[in-house]
Amino acid sequence: KSDRLSQIALPVNSSDDSSDEIGRLGAAFKDMAERIEQQMEKLVNSDTMRRDLIANISHDLRTPLATLQGYIETLLLKDESLADEERRNYLEIAIKHCEQLTTLVDKLLELAKLDSVEMKVLQEPFELSELVQDIVQKFQLMAGKKGIRITANIGQKIPFVKADIGLIERALVNLIENAIHYTPDGGEVKLALIPQGQTINVTVSDTGYGIPEDELPHIFNRFYQLDKSRKSDRSHSGLGLAITERILELHGRSIKVTSVVNSGTSFSFQLPIHPD
């Protein structure tokens, strides 16, 4: 979104007091100068964010591409001398990096679509409890491979909510993937639905590594990744939380996060109950 300088209307004074008129004029121009300075600062910050975003995208694309190219070149150069098991290992690694590239590109396209002015949110009533149960079932296998227990705490007679079911599903999937990624083996991921007035409070919590307090303001930034020591794991793009936040913004909602290092993290948002 582009920022526009505020238009300043100079005050009209019918008195003959020229010093008062000059004082008002000076105040008006001072106000205009301050507004211009603020806008310039915003533009500089926006340009810095744009540069960082491009740098992060380039890095995340270059790494799997370089690795993929290396393994393919090795296969071409040593094809006749490679054992079948070694050749298969090279191919499996190449396919893994292809999958990472596909995931990253898909998320970039998804984020671009969500940012587009043509993006339309189709809000309709649906049963949130059923959606949550389906998503939990979908992640049982992934969580099980890490020895993570994933559960859903759903109260009785949860009313229908009104939202875009496809987008809300995507938001929940991102939150669960994020929770599983940052939860060590043997941990737990929980989803909870709690009615609060005219809304349903949706919470995704985990018993993972937690987020340091100084990093909390940045976790929804695009490509921001926690735990730099494990950044070699390129399967986690750092776009999931940004996509989730954007989805909720399109619904006129916000997402909250609380976290304690080495204890876990909890994300929560609210959806409106359908009136009927």
Side-chain angles (χ1 to χ4, degrees), residues 178-223:
N178 188 75
I180 293 175
H181 180 80
Y182 287 112
T183 298
D185 295 3
E188 187 174 8
V189 174
K190 295 180 180 180
L191 277 79
L193 302 180
I194 303 175
Q196 291 183 349
Q198 298 303 309
T199 64
I200 300 295
N201 189 70
V202 184
T203 302
V204 178
S205 57
D206 62 61
T207 58
Y209 303 110
I211 305 170
E213 187 176 353
D214 61 334
E215 295 200 58
L216 281 175
H218 309 292
I219 61 172
F220 294 104
N221 294 349
R222 300 174 185 196
F223 282 98

Side-chain angles (χ1 to χ4, degrees), residues 71-88:
Y71 278 101
I72 292 176
E73 288 177 349
T74 300
L75 283 169
L76 289 173
L77 291 172
K78 300 182 178 181
D79 181 55
E80 295 181 359
S81 61
L82 289 175
D84 290 343
E85 184 178 351
E86 192 173 11
R87 182 182 293 105
R88 181 177 181 83

